Amino acid sequence: MERIELLKQNLVIEPDLHSFTGFVLESVNRLGGSGFAAAAALLKLIERLRVAGVADGHLMPVSLMLEGQDLLVRWDAQEQLKIVTLREMPGQEDIYQLRVHLLNSTAATDPDLLLQRNAEMMRHFDETRARAERELDELQRTLQARQQELVEFSHQVETDALTGIFNRRAFDIKVRQAFLHTMRQRSTPLSLMFFDLDHFKQINDEFGHQFGDAYLNKMASTLREIIREDVDFAFRFGGDEFAVVLFADYRLACEKARQVLG
C-alpha cells in the first residue's frame, strides 16, 4: 500500500502543536473526510504527543501521512495514530495541491514565533546539558567510591590482620612483580630474605598468645624500619615466618639482615 507524506513539521513549542493540528484538520476537510471524527482523534493525538514530550523545547518531528484511504500521524519513528478513514481515495492532483498548500503554509514563519521557538530550544538545551552534567558528576562520584572500595578490599585481602604487613597471598604476587621488574630493568638488583623466629611455640606456651602476638608485631615493626616505603616489601609469610623483598644488592641485604638480627 502506497504511503505518502503530506506534511512534516518539527514541533518545538506550544504554537507549533496548535498549527500542526490545524493543518491536520484542514487536510481532512480538503480530502473530504469527517471533521467530527477527526476532531475526536486529534484530542487523543494531542494527549499522546504531550506524553511523548512534544512542545517542551526539543525538536519533535511529526508527519501527516496518507496510507491508502487512511489519514494518520506518525512520530518517534514507530508511534502513529489514525486520524480518519476517507470515504474514497483522493486523486493524485488533489494530493499534490494539498502538499503544495501545506508546504507554503508552513514556510510562512512568524518572526515572533521563530524567536520564541529558538528561546525554548535554548532552554531545553541548557536543561539537558545541566542534567547531563549532574548525571556525569554522580557517575564520577560513584566510580570513585567503587575504586576506593576496591583499593580497600585489595588491601584487606593482601594484609596480615595481626601485624598489618603483607601476607602470604601478597607475597606470591609481589615477588613475581619484583622479579619481572628486575628482568626488564637489568641493572636493578633484587634480594629476598627469610626470617624465622626461634622457639616461638615455646614463647606462646610459657607466656601466652597475647605475648606471642606482641612478639610478632615487634618483628613486623623491625622489618618496616629496614625497608623503604612503597619500594621494598615486608611479609608475614605464615606463623612465625617472615620475608622481605629488597631492591638492593647482596652487600646491602646482608647489612639489613644484621640490623634485624641485632
Side-chain angles (χ1 to χ4, degrees):
M1 183 180 298
E2 185 180 8
R3 178 179 295 174
I4 303 171
E5 185 177 70
L6 300 176
L7 171 66
K8 185 173 184 179
Q9 188 174 357
N10 286 315
L11 309 186
V12 179
I13 56 178
E14 190 68 23
D16 293 334
L17 178 58
H18 294 166
S19 66
F20 180 78
T21 54
F23 290 143
V24 173
L25 194 56
E26 183 179 0
S27 300
V28 171
N29 293 330
R30 279 176 168 263
L31 296 176
S34 169
F36 180 79
L42 284 174
L43 290 176
K44 184 180 296 185
L45 174 66
I46 292 173
E47 180 181 353
R48 290 184 61 179
L49 288 178
R50 290 194 190 284
V51 172
V54 76
D56 68 351
H58 77 283
L59 289 175
M60 169 74 77
V62 180
S63 297
L64 177 63
M65 312 291 298
L66 181 63
E67 188 172 307
Q69 292 178 227
D70 290 337
L71 195 65
L72 52 89
V73 173
R74 302 194 71 190
W75 68 98
D76 279 354
Q78 301 298 325
E79 295 292 330
Q80 68 178 38
L81 177 68
K82 185 174 73 172
I83 302 301
V84 71
T85 297
L86 303 175
R87 299 185 184 91
E88 57 185 30
M89 184 67 188
Q92 293 296 323
E93 181 63 23
D94 294 333
I95 295 174
Y96 173 77
Q97 292 296 335
L98 176 59
R99 292 182 69 185
V100 170
H101 170 73
L102 294 175
L103 179 63
N104 292 335
S105 298
T106 55
T109 304
D110 186 332
D112 291 336
L113 287 180
L114 183 60
L115 290 174
Q116 184 181 353
R117 186 178 296 118
N118 290 339
E120 285 296 313
M121 290 178 64
M122 287 301 299
R123 179 190 62 79
H124 177 76
F125 173 76
D126 291 340
E127 291 177 353
T128 302
R129 181 177 60 184
R131 182 169 58 254
E133 290 174 350
R134 289 195 300 270
E135 292 174 352
L136 180 60
D137 289 341
E138 181 63 26
L139 182 61
Q140 289 176 335
R141 286 194 295 270
T142 301
L143 179 60
Q144 290 173 353
R146 295 294 180 268
Q147 289 175 334
Q148 183 61 33
E149 290 174 1
L150 180 60
V151 169
E152 292 175 358
F153 176 75
S154 299
H155 179 73
Q156 291 173 0
V157 169
E158 296 182 348
T159 301
D160 178 60
L162 176 63
T163 62
I165 60 176
F166 287 118
N167 57 19
R168 172 59 187 271
R169 176 189 177 91
F171 175 84
D172 295 336
I173 297 173
K174 299 295 184 184
V175 166
R176 182 176 184 276
Q177 292 175 346
F179 179 76
L180 293 175
H181 174 78
T182 303
M183 291 295 293
R184 290 193 300 267
Q185 308 291 332
R186 295 183 180 276
S187 61
T188 302
L190 181 66
S191 298
L192 177 61
M193 299 185 292
F194 287 95
F195 299 92
D196 184 277
L197 300 181
D198 293 336
H199 313 296
F200 182 70
K201 184 178 183 306
Q202 183 180 348
I203 293 173
N204 266 338
D205 292 341
E206 291 186 11
F207 301 101
H209 289 283
Q210 186 173 359
F211 186 89
D213 289 348
Y215 200 63
L216 293 172
N217 275 310
K218 181 174 176 59
M219 180 62 176
S221 178
T222 300
L223 295 181
R224 285 196 193 93
E225 291 175 359
I226 68 164
I227 65 173
R228 295 163 295 177
E229 186 177 2
D230 297 328
V231 178
D232 308 313
F233 307 105
F235 308 87
R236 184 185 176 194
F237 196 71
D240 58 354
E241 297 176 337
F242 291 81
V244 170
V245 171
L246 200 68
F247 287 93
D249 57 18
Y250 174 77
R251 182 192 62 79
L252 182 57
C254 289
E255 181 181 336
K256 295 292 185 180
R258 282 192 292 269
Q259 293 178 20
V260 174
L261 297 176

